[in-house]
Amino acid sequence: MDKDRSLPKRPWDTCREVPIIEDEQTPWKMIRLLQAVSLCVLAVLVFGLALCSKTSFLLLITLSSEGTKTLPAEQKPVALLCIGCSLIASSVLLLQKSIWKACYKSAKVPARKTVALVLFFEFLVSLGAAILTIVAMPHLDIVTNVTILNGVAVLSALLQVVSQCTAKERNRFLVPSITAFILILLGYILFLVLYVMKDPTDNKMAVWVGLAVGGSFLVSLNWWKNYLGLISENSSSDFLKVLCKDMKRGQNILHILSSLLRIAVTACVLGAYVPLAKMDWDIVQSIPSRETRIVAITIGVQLISSALCHWFAVAACKMHALRRCFILPLYLASLAVMVLFIVPVIVYYQDYRISLNGTASVNFTGYCSVVVDGRNYSSTGSVFPQLVLDVTHTLCFLDMSKITDIGILTGSAASWWLGLVLATVHLWHLSLYRIQRTQDLFIRRLYEGAFLEQSLLLNTRFDIQTTEKRKQFKPLDPVKVFLCATMWHETYDEMMKIIISIFRLDKYRPRKEGVTSDVTFEGHIYFDDAFKDVAGSQGRHVNEYAEMLVEIIREVYSIFLNIDKGLFQKQQQIPDQKIVRTPYGGRLVVNMPHGNSLVVHFKDKQLIRHKKRWSQVMYLYYLLGWKVATKYFKRWGKGGDEAELKREFQKEKHNTYLLALDGDTDFQPAAVMLLIDRLKLYPLVGAACGRIHPTGSGPMVWYQKFEYAVGHWLHKTAEHVFGCVLCSPGCFSLFRAAALMDDNVMKKYTIKASKARHHIQYDQGEDRWLCTLLLKQGWRVEYSAASDAYTNAPEEFKEFYNQRRRWGPSTMANIVDLLGSGTLVTKRNPSMSRPYMFYQLFSMASSILAPSAVVLMIAGSLTVLLDVHPSVALVLAMIPPAVFLGVSFKIKSDTQILIAAIMSILYAFLMMMSALAIVGNMVKDKTIMTPSSIFIIALACFYFITALMHPQEAGLIIYGLLYILCIPSAYLLLAIYSMVNMNNVSWGTRETAPAPGAAAAAGAPKPAAAAPQTQAQKAKSSFTQFFTRAKCCRKLCRRGSEEELIVNLQNPNVESAEPETLPRNTIVENVRIPEAEQKEEELPTPYICPNQCWVTQLQSLSDDMRLQEDTLDQDEEQFFRELTTRYLEPLPADTKKQKKMADELKDLRNKVYVTAVFMKYYDDAITFIYFICNAFWLMTTFTLQLLETNISIQVPKVDTNLQFTGEYMYIDPLGFMFILAFALLVIIQFIAMMYHRICTLIHFVAFLDTEIKSNTQKQKQVKDDEVSDDFMFPSLLHRGHEEGTLV
């Protein structure tokens, strides 16, 4: 009993500093409420739209019926024409969609036998639908018309019986299928008895009844494909198997041919029946306005409601609301239509009987002859009573006063409806994946407008389920995810975020021996430049950042290991971990608390090439080349079956993913699972990225929050919907191994930058270049808005400008690369169409002309503020950026940034004053119909509505004010800075100085004596020393930040002071840290380090996590040596080569990107073409403004009451075209955003319903005499992130 009461190791040190672990900031209650409301709204929409579709279609049939008077007899062809439109509407939509897919995706031609068989069935189905609805149903009563459409399930029920009988096991739905078939046949029998036996001598009615039965039987052939696959699986017929594969392979061509055939058959039946019925088509051209409105509204409601009902029904299935929002609403729709038609008939009949006051006895037959058929046609008055009487007229053929007729009619209707219910009862037990593709959920691509509910229910996939138990849904293959984070000199807080995120994932999906999980994880951290030389040591040591990482891992491990332990419960000790010497440096292998592994690779830049892209090459070849591919070649070398090995290899590549992370990324496990969903069920998706949230504080971060939001809300969604995402950011993206290992991807990613353009495209934006390689190879890149990740953003103006200086040219270079290979990309990649490439071309042109657009905007502001002529304002607006451009070629980058910062503040004040002036003029002139007013109001409304569509991020709209004020800085000054400093290929962020004494240790020559400092340089040096000492103090708390330096290839001579380049830079100033110099002075000369190598150094850090040295496998060691020799050998410092590269970059800086679209990679580009394009635009606008009386668009001004004020405003044609182009771009992006929002909601609701609920907080009852553990250790689950969103 007392043995469990062992004291902790340090009982006096039980207080803990617990970081944020759980995502408690996400409002789960609100999300659950949103889910419930969404499902309720969806159910109502499906039910209401199905009701509208069926009601409007039956009204068209009633209007075309003989004897109805709402539409005169000579105008019946109009109603018949509308019925035909309802039949072919879905075929027209399918034709358009199939032509699009055949042109831009797949256009494989099926075999002739397949085409003939499919077209034969399509001919029968279209012929049956046309005969049933156009010829037969106008002669039947409304009750029969409502329910006979349920009888189209007759052959589906029969095929269900056949497919289940061919299966080897007994099936649980065999009896319901047989019963459904019998009930539907019973309905037809009762229908024949009611109509044929009513008057056996009426041959014409017998013909209508026969056509109705025959037509419905032909329509029931519509869903034969739903059962062909199941029958072929259990059949020995090779023909059926080949037929199924051929239909799937050439479905686009088959859909085009079948749609054309359906349209032609419907047109032929309609065109032949009208003359045979002695009607004239000429009446269509002279139909009165009242009847036109009735028919137009009815057919409009029918077409729109049918299309929307199909779309929302598909959404219901994908949201895993199959029962609540799909099956039940569609079942009830037929009953509701019946009530909607019959109740008014009964009410009108009863009102008529009451109006007689008992003076005469009347039955239904008398009511029909006196009121219904005896009424006169009136072109005035309400339409509703006329429609009710027309519906009543269809029932007058039957004697509703006889219980026999009512019983037979009710029996046939009930039999058909119950038959449909039993034929689709298997849908209640249909299993779905979390993200279910429409083509796997529904057999036919679209719907049938004439019988919407029946087509949706019968078109849903049919599965055979055994009687013993519900058929186990075949799960998807398990996937393996490698978490690959690259680190360099991250701070304590940044490292803590990524380590906690990895340990969260370990707890979320624990790995247990003998248990197969749907997802397994393995973490890898690649630490760049982790080693340093220490005087008196026999081997190299890891630097302070690597030590900090090991300490953080120990700290986080202890927290997660004892996270559920009470105050007086025994705390578990961290098990021993492994430390391994490797050819590239060293490795720390951590077995996390829940079984998953985390490997930290410490890279020594003297042994292996450094920088981020080469770390990515290292883990690509290690994880995919060594751990995935090598084992199959070894098995093949031992005599393994080649075909089987190839199949297994392809399968593993397809189900292996790499999650690329930065060293400061913070994410939740749900975000990773949502990305995995995209790759699991869409085989052509090679990469998927999430929603990146910048974190930090200060105005620069506020600006970036809104900038990131707009980029994700609009730009990324438009790319996802209309084509592919062009950049999957390396801070949080999931890649498929099969895509990375494809031709011209991983291999090409290892190319060294040998030309100036290579530095810009390859090294300045490696994540965008990797996506470019994937897109060129035909893989799709997607964006998941529900996958949230958080990463630190630059907080200083200088750091922000340097980061964007790197991103801007790289972005443009990769887009130019894609556009230059447009023909190849559109041919290989089914998601990249020519219209989408044109959209990207237009977007890039807008980016290029953004500086001139900002100048024009500033000119407009000056026109408002100074009340000067637009041409004078344009000249004034051009002077500051022109001067900034000119002096930027002569001054240092730091000075450029200082000038840009000052100009940004002045421009922000100008923007604010202009906005206030525009608002004041709107109030003063009492009009909003001015270009500036319209632009500001439209832009504000657009961003406001967009923010409302993202409710959990709507607060970011506040930062939109700062974003507007910073437009001149971001789109004008930053563009100038980026183009001028294109020769600077430094990383721009997280820069640091070389270690003191490194040059001397390496035997490098000493730098030349420093020149005497000026007063400004002395002041700058003093400030540098002050901030350096401040950072040293912060390092004592392990939360210090790094010294940030700017790297510029304009000064290559500095390289002589440092023989090796730093991990993120090309050439760095040799700055000595005073703190380090002081330490060197304090050290005695004969110094002996207590830790002789990095292994003993890490082992001595802490006793809580003991590190046992282990050895590396010989084969793996040989692999790393060969990998280093072939791809990752450290690059020697070559001053001449670097100076040559600097000159090439300067030369490239003086060339332009636009010409590269038409020329091959800048070879013959014209100097300053980038700026000349903007200058050309500005000069053209200036010229048109001078000639505004001759060349301008005259627009009348109106006041707030939209009354003409007598004045005109003049807009130059170029400005007008620019505004139109901007408006078109905004509309396109807004439509894409709306569609993507709905898809995100569908995915997230499905995720909530299907994901395993782990980490559930247990409610514990605390007795009066007990103290809750949360009293002493507040639960981690009550802590939250500063912000979070999953929707």
Side-chain angles (χ1 to χ4, degrees):
M1 181 175 180
D2 295 336
K3 63 182 179 181
D4 295 332
R5 294 197 173 194
S6 57
L7 290 175
K9 188 174 182 179
R10 288 182 291 271
W12 50 269
D13 189 20
T14 56
C15 298
R16 301 184 299 179
E17 179 187 2
V18 181
I20 301 166
I21 295 179
E22 297 296 336
D23 181 21
E24 286 297 308
Q25 191 64 26
T26 301
W28 291 109
K29 290 184 179 179
M30 189 191 77
I31 291 175
R32 289 293 181 184
L33 178 62
L34 176 63
Q35 178 190 14
V37 171
S38 301
L39 294 179
C40 291
V41 170
L42 191 60
V44 172
L45 284 174
V46 172
F47 173 77
L49 291 171
L51 183 65
C52 291
S53 174
K54 182 56 67 69
T55 303
S56 56
F57 181 74
L58 292 174
L59 282 178
L60 288 175
I61 291 179
T62 302
L63 293 175
S64 65
S65 179
E66 184 179 353
T68 56
K69 297 186 177 181
T70 302
L71 206 62
E74 64 274 8
Q75 297 174 9
K76 300 297 182 184
V78 179
L80 294 174
L81 181 62
C82 291
I83 295 173
C85 291
S86 299
L87 291 176
I88 67 172
S90 60
S91 298
V92 172
L93 294 176
L94 180 59
L95 178 64
Q96 295 175 351
K97 188 174 182 179
S98 300
I99 290 177
W100 173 271
K101 289 192 172 185
C103 292
Y104 297 111
K105 292 190 176 182
S106 174
K108 297 180 179 179
V109 180
R112 293 183 179 181
K113 292 182 180 179
T114 304
V115 173
L117 184 63
V118 171
L119 293 185
F120 173 72
F121 279 107
E122 293 294 331
F123 171 78
L124 295 180
V125 171
S126 57
L127 180 64
I131 291 175
L132 176 64
T133 57
I134 297 175
V135 180
M137 288 180 65
H139 301 89
L140 305 178
D141 65 278
I142 189 64
V143 176
T144 302
N145 285 338
V146 171
T147 56
I148 195 173
L149 297 178
N150 295 328
V152 298
V154 56
L155 285 184
S156 293
L158 180 60
L159 290 174
Q160 288 178 17
V161 175
V162 174
S163 59
Q164 292 180 89
C165 289
T166 56
K168 298 179 181 179
E169 297 178 325
R170 298 176 60 189
N171 308 298
R172 63 184 307 191
F173 291 117
L174 182 59
V175 174
S177 299
I178 296 174
T179 307
F181 180 70
I182 295 174
L183 284 174
I184 295 175
L185 289 182
L186 178 62
Y188 282 116
I189 293 172
L190 293 176
F191 167 62
L192 292 173
V193 169
L194 180 62
Y195 272 85
V196 177
M197 301 306 293
K198 184 75 176 177
D199 187 4
T201 61
D202 191 352
N203 295 328
K204 187 175 290 188
M205 180 56 68
V207 172
W208 305 137
V209 170
L211 290 176
V213 175
S216 60
F217 268 84
L218 290 178
V219 171
S220 63
L221 293 169
N222 198 18
W223 302 279
W224 62 280
K225 298 178 185 177
N226 200 354
Y227 312 99
L228 179 65
L230 295 174
I231 295 175
S232 64
E233 288 178 4
N234 300 312
S235 174
S236 58
S237 174
D238 294 334
F239 172 75
L240 295 179
K241 293 181 173 61
V242 173
L243 178 64
C244 291
K245 293 181 181 178
D246 200 29
M247 286 193 302
K248 186 175 182 179
R249 185 178 63 91
Q251 60 179 352
N252 287 326
I253 300 299
L254 290 175
H255 286 149
I256 292 175
L257 296 177
S258 61
S259 299
L260 292 173
L261 180 63
R262 283 195 165 211
I263 295 172
V265 170
T266 304
C268 291
V269 172
L270 188 61
Y273 173 68
V274 169
L276 290 176
K278 299 180 181 179
M279 291 183 283
D280 193 356
W281 281 112
D282 295 336
I283 192 63
V284 176
Q285 302 176 0
S286 58
I287 184 172
S289 60
R290 181 175 182 270
E291 285 74 10
T292 301
R293 288 196 301 271
I294 295 173
V295 174
I297 292 174
T298 306
I299 185 60
V301 170
Q302 206 283 328
L303 295 178
I304 295 174
S305 60
S306 297
L308 291 178
C309 183
H310 170 260
W311 197 88
F312 283 111
V314 174
C317 296
K318 292 186 174 183
M319 293 172 73
H320 289 253
L322 198 67
R323 301 179 181 180
R324 294 165 288 177
C325 303
F326 180 74
I327 303 174
L328 196 58
L330 294 179
Y331 281 168
L332 298 178
S334 296
L335 301 179
V337 170
M338 183 77 71
V339 173
L340 194 62
F341 278 110
I342 298 302
V343 169
V345 172
I346 297 174
V347 171
Y348 273 59
Y349 175 54
Q350 293 298 329
D351 289 345
Y352 173 73
R353 293 184 63 181
I354 294 173
S355 65
L356 296 178
N357 294 324
T359 57
S361 61
V362 62
N363 56 15
F364 188 77
T365 304
Y367 171 72
C368 287
S369 61
V370 174
V371 178
V372 179
D373 297 334
R375 61 191 165 112
N376 295 322
Y377 171 72
S378 175
S379 59
T380 60
S382 177
V383 178
F384 182 74
Q386 299 293 330
L387 292 175
V388 173
L389 294 177
D390 283 344
V391 171
T392 307
H393 171 77
T394 63
L395 295 169
C396 290
F397 170 76
L398 304 173
D399 190 354
M400 292 293 101
S401 60
K402 291 184 178 180
I403 192 65
T404 305
D405 289 359
I406 296 177
I408 295 176
L409 183 62
T410 304
S412 64
S415 297
W416 280 326
W417 186 80
L418 290 174
L420 177 66
V421 170
L422 291 175
T424 55
V425 72
H426 64 276
L427 298 180
W428 290 85
H429 304 279
L430 187 65
S431 300
L432 301 175
Y433 295 114
R434 180 181 298 155
I435 299 183
Q436 188 70 55
R437 290 183 295 180
T438 305
Q439 64 186 20
D440 296 332
L441 183 60
F442 295 98
I443 303 303
R444 301 183 62 85
R445 185 169 288 177
L446 283 181
Y447 58 95
E448 303 293 338
F451 20 89
L452 185 64
E453 317 96 276
Q454 294 79 11
S455 66
L456 289 174
L457 291 169
L458 296 172
N459 194 31
T460 310
R461 187 186 72 243
F462 176 76
D463 281 336
I464 299 177
Q465 298 184 7
T466 60
T467 56
E468 287 76 12
K469 60 179 179 178
R470 177 180 171 182
K471 178 183 177 181
Q472 295 297 323
F473 188 48
K474 182 182 178 181
L476 295 171
D477 295 326
V479 300
K480 180 69 174 289
V481 180
F482 292 107
L483 282 70
C484 303
T486 54
M487 279 190 179
W488 188 47
H489 287 179
E490 278 72 17
T491 64
Y492 175 87
D493 292 331
E494 292 171 342
M495 290 183 184
M496 181 64 76
K497 289 180 181 179
I498 184 68
I499 297 302
I500 287 178
S501 298
I502 294 174
F503 274 76
R504 277 197 206 110
L505 206 54
D506 171 61
K507 183 180 179 183
Y508 188 78
R509 276 292 190 275
R511 183 177 183 179
K512 299 179 181 179
E513 294 295 333
V515 178
T516 302
S517 177
D518 59 338
V519 181
T520 56
F521 296 98
E522 184 177 310
H524 291 266
I525 296 176
Y526 289 80
F527 204 110
D528 239 334
D529 191 15
F531 290 84
K532 64 180 180 180
D533 289 322
V534 176
S537 174
Q538 295 180 357
R540 286 168 64 81
H541 285 211
V542 294
N543 56 27
E544 60 272 20
Y545 298 99
E547 285 186 345
M548 186 192 305
L549 178 61
V550 176
E551 282 292 310
I552 290 173
I553 292 176
R554 180 201 59 78
E555 183 179 347
V556 175
Y557 200 118
S558 177
I559 292 172
F560 275 85
L561 189 63
N562 300 294
I563 192 172
D564 299 322
K565 298 294 183 181
L567 176 61
F568 294 109
Q569 293 181 356
K570 183 178 180 180
Q571 304 292 305
Q572 294 186 30
Q573 298 299 316
I574 302 176
D576 294 349
Q577 308 299 334
K578 297 179 181 180
I579 190 168
V580 184
R581 301 175 191 263
T582 62
Y584 56 82
R587 174 188 298 180
L588 172 64
V589 182
V590 178
N591 188 26
M592 291 185 284
H594 297 277
N596 296 292
S597 63
L598 172 63
V599 183
V600 181
H601 304 265
F602 296 111
K603 295 174 57 182
D604 189 343
K605 67 178 183 180
Q606 294 183 359
L607 301 177
I608 195 168
R609 195 175 303 171
H610 59 285
K611 293 188 179 181
K612 184 175 181 179
R613 180 159 72 95
W614 303 115
S615 293
Q616 292 175 330
V617 170
M618 178 179 172
Y619 69 64
L620 286 176
Y621 275 89
Y622 173 57
L623 300 177
L624 303 183
W626 172 255
K627 302 194 74 171
V628 174
T630 304
K631 57 187 177 184
Y632 290 99
F633 286 97
K634 289 182 177 179
R635 289 171 56 187
W636 176 74
K638 295 179 180 180
D641 182 65
E642 184 174 348
E644 179 66 19
L645 289 175
K646 185 177 180 180
R647 186 188 66 81
E648 292 180 7
F649 185 32
Q650 295 296 334
K651 181 179 179 180
E652 183 169 357
K653 286 196 302 181
H654 185 80
N655 296 318
T656 301
Y657 308 147
L658 265 69
L659 181 64
L661 300 167
D662 277 353
D664 60 352
T665 305
D666 184 16
F667 60 92
Q668 294 292 331
V672 181
M673 298 305 298
L674 289 167
L675 287 181
I676 292 174
D677 287 343
R678 306 302 306 180
L679 272 67
K680 261 190 174 183
L681 284 173
Y682 295 94
L684 290 181
V685 175
C689 62
R691 166 72 165 95
I692 309 303
H693 299 265
T695 58
S697 60
M700 289 311 306
V701 177
W702 299 342
Y703 169 83
Q704 292 174 85
K705 283 179 180 291
F706 189 79
E707 182 197 31
Y708 272 66
V710 171
H712 288 86
W713 291 351
L714 300 172
H715 304 301
K716 266 202 167 31
T717 55
E719 290 178 345
H720 173 95
V721 172
F722 297 118
C724 287
V725 174
L726 298 190
C727 178
S728 189
C731 59
F732 188 68
S733 294
L734 191 68
F735 294 88
R736 190 188 301 275
L740 295 171
M741 300 173 74
D742 202 358
D743 297 338
N744 302 318
V745 179
M746 200 164 85
K747 179 71 173 180
K748 194 169 185 178
Y749 197 61
T750 63
I751 295 178
K752 289 189 293 186
S754 58
K755 298 181 180 178
R757 63 180 175 87
H758 291 169
H759 281 287
I760 294 175
Q761 185 177 4
Y762 298 175
D763 295 330
Q764 299 292 280
E766 69 291 330
D767 48 3
R768 185 174 286 272
W769 183 45
L770 182 59
C771 290
T772 300
L773 297 177
L774 293 176
L775 295 173
K776 281 185 171 183
Q777 204 59 28
W779 292 95
R780 176 171 172 78
V781 182
E782 291 193 345
Y783 163 58
S784 175
S787 301
D788 292 291
Y790 303 86
T791 184
N792 286 2
E795 297 183 356
E796 302 295 334
F797 186 84
K798 175 181 177 181
E799 188 179 6
F800 171 76
Y801 256 51
N802 282 326
Q803 182 194 66
R804 300 310 167 93
R805 178 259 304 154
R806 175 168 56 90
W807 286 2
S810 171
T811 298
M812 198 167 291
N814 280 280
I815 294 178
V816 167
D817 189 6
L818 278 175
L819 293 175
S821 308
T823 303
L824 177 65
V825 172
T826 54
K827 186 177 295 185
R828 284 185 175 180
N829 198 320
S831 298
M832 304 276 283
S833 62
R834 291 185 182 275
Y836 177 70
M837 299 298 287
F838 178 78
Y839 165 81
Q840 288 296 338
L841 176 63
F842 178 76
S843 180
M844 190 189 71
S846 302
S847 300
I848 293 174
L849 295 177
S852 58
V854 173
V855 171
L856 292 174
M857 182 177 64
I858 295 172
S861 302
L862 295 177
T863 303
V864 174
L865 292 175
L866 305 179
D867 194 21
V868 297
H869 192 272
S871 58
V872 176
L874 182 58
V875 173
L876 294 176
M878 290 169 54
I879 292 175
V883 172
F884 179 58
L885 172 62
V887 301
S888 294
F889 285 95
K890 299 297 182 181
I891 60 179
K892 295 181 179 180
S893 59
D894 287 352
T895 310
Q896 296 174 32
I897 291 177
L898 178 62
I899 296 174
I902 297 173
M903 294 181 67
S904 298
I905 296 174
L906 297 177
Y907 274 133
F909 279 111
L910 177 63
M911 294 290 292
M912 183 173 59
M913 294 168 60
S914 302
L916 294 176
I918 292 172
V919 174
N921 290 336
M922 290 166 56
V923 176
K924 178 181 176 181
D925 300 336
K926 296 181 179 180
T927 179
I928 60 173
M929 294 301 293
T930 62
S932 301
S933 304
I934 294 175
F935 179 78
I936 287 182
I937 294 174
L939 192 64
C941 294
F942 172 69
Y943 282 138
F944 183 73
I945 295 174
T946 303
L948 290 181
M949 294 302 299
H950 301 76
Q952 289 183 270
E953 301 178 56
L956 296 178
I957 194 67
I958 299 174
Y959 302 136
L961 301 176
L962 178 63
Y963 179 82
I964 298 297
L965 297 180
C966 294
I967 284 178
S969 176
Y971 292 93
L972 176 60
L973 302 179
L974 181 57
I976 295 174
Y977 178 76
S978 299
M979 294 299 107
V980 171
N981 294 276
M982 192 188 303
N983 58 311
N984 186 352
V985 295
S986 66
W987 200 250
T989 57
R990 218 187 295 277
E991 307 291 0
T992 191
K1006 295 182 180 181
Q1013 291 184 328
T1014 63
Q1015 292 296 328
Q1017 291 172 335
K1018 290 179 180 179
K1020 181 178 179 181
S1021 176
S1022 300
F1023 276 111
T1024 302
Q1025 293 177 9
F1026 172 76
F1027 285 113
T1028 302
R1029 292 191 178 97
K1031 291 178 180 180
C1032 293
C1033 295
R1034 293 176 63 188
K1035 286 181 182 179
L1036 296 177
C1037 299
R1038 298 180 299 173
R1039 288 171 170 82
S1041 61
E1042 305 79 298
E1043 183 73 18
E1044 298 178 359
L1045 301 175
I1046 293 299
V1047 183
N1048 198 324
L1049 286 177
Q1050 292 178 347
N1051 187 17
N1053 296 327
V1054 185
E1055 178 64 25
S1056 59
E1058 174 65 79
E1060 289 186 286
T1061 60
L1062 288 181
R1064 308 285 175 164
N1065 308 323
T1066 303
I1067 300 174
V1068 182
E1069 298 179 13
N1070 190 7
V1071 179
R1072 299 179 64 86
I1073 302 177
E1075 177 196 18
E1077 293 179 351
Q1078 183 178 356
K1079 288 184 178 180
E1080 287 182 353
E1081 293 175 359
E1082 294 175 355
L1083 293 178
T1085 304
Y1087 175 72
I1088 300 176
C1089 181
N1091 296 314
Q1092 292 302 306
C1093 66
W1094 68 272
V1095 174
T1096 56
Q1097 175 194 5
L1098 293 181
Q1099 288 176 337
S1100 64
L1101 286 179
S1102 174
D1103 294 334
D1104 293 340
M1105 185 175 74
R1106 292 181 298 182
L1107 303 179
Q1108 302 295 336
E1109 186 173 0
D1110 197 4
T1111 57
L1112 190 67
D1113 179 74
Q1114 291 185 357
D1115 292 339
E1116 189 171 338
E1117 182 177 352
Q1118 181 63 25
F1119 156 75
F1120 277 113
R1121 296 190 186 281
E1122 293 177 358
L1123 175 66
T1124 303
T1125 303
R1126 185 167 181 82
Y1127 295 119
L1128 300 176
E1129 197 169 22
L1131 295 175
D1134 190 339
T1135 306
K1136 293 183 179 180
K1137 185 176 181 181
Q1138 289 185 354
K1139 187 177 185 306
K1140 179 182 178 183
M1141 186 61 63
D1143 294 338
E1144 290 182 6
L1145 285 167
K1146 284 183 180 180
D1147 182 61
L1148 180 61
R1149 178 191 64 183
N1150 299 329
K1151 300 178 182 179
V1152 87
Y1153 293 98
V1154 179
T1155 317
V1157 178
F1158 308 98
M1159 303 180 183
K1160 191 62 178 177
Y1161 284 106
Y1162 328 110
D1163 291 339
D1164 301 310
I1166 304 173
T1167 305
F1168 290 121
I1169 215 78
Y1170 179 87
F1171 299 107
I1172 286 178
C1173 287
N1174 286 275
F1176 175 79
W1177 182 270
L1178 292 174
M1179 291 304 299
T1180 305
T1181 305
F1182 177 76
T1183 304
L1184 291 176
Q1185 287 179 349
L1186 291 177
L1187 304 174
E1188 65 175 4
T1189 55
N1190 298 325
I1191 306 176
S1192 63
I1193 299 175
Q1194 182 176 311
V1195 180
K1197 286 186 178 181
V1198 296
D1199 56 17
T1200 54
N1201 297 322
L1202 300 181
Q1203 299 296 323
F1204 178 53
T1205 61
E1207 299 179 357
Y1208 294 90
M1209 57 181 177
Y1210 299 92
I1211 305 176
D1212 64 274
L1214 284 179
F1216 183 71
M1217 292 301 296
F1218 187 83
I1219 292 176
L1220 283 183
F1222 176 78
L1224 177 62
L1225 190 64
V1226 165
I1227 291 172
I1228 291 174
Q1229 292 178 346
F1230 186 80
I1231 294 173
M1233 183 267 296
M1234 294 292 292
Y1235 178 80
H1236 196 268
R1237 281 279 85 196
I1238 297 174
C1239 293
T1240 301
L1241 178 64
I1242 291 173
H1243 185 189
F1244 192 68
V1245 171
F1247 175 81
L1248 292 177
D1249 282 340
T1250 56
E1251 180 61 13
I1252 300 173
K1253 303 300 185 299
S1254 58
N1255 305 325
T1256 304
Q1257 185 176 3
K1258 299 180 180 180
Q1259 300 294 334
K1260 299 182 179 180
Q1261 295 182 352
V1262 183
K1263 298 181 182 180
D1264 294 337
D1265 58 343
E1266 292 181 354
V1267 180
S1268 172
D1269 293 342
D1270 286 347
F1271 179 78
M1272 293 294 294
F1273 295 98
S1275 175
L1276 304 177
L1277 301 179
H1278 295 295
R1279 302 178 181 232
H1281 199 277
E1282 61 179 84
E1283 62 177 313
T1285 173
L1286 276 176
V1287 177

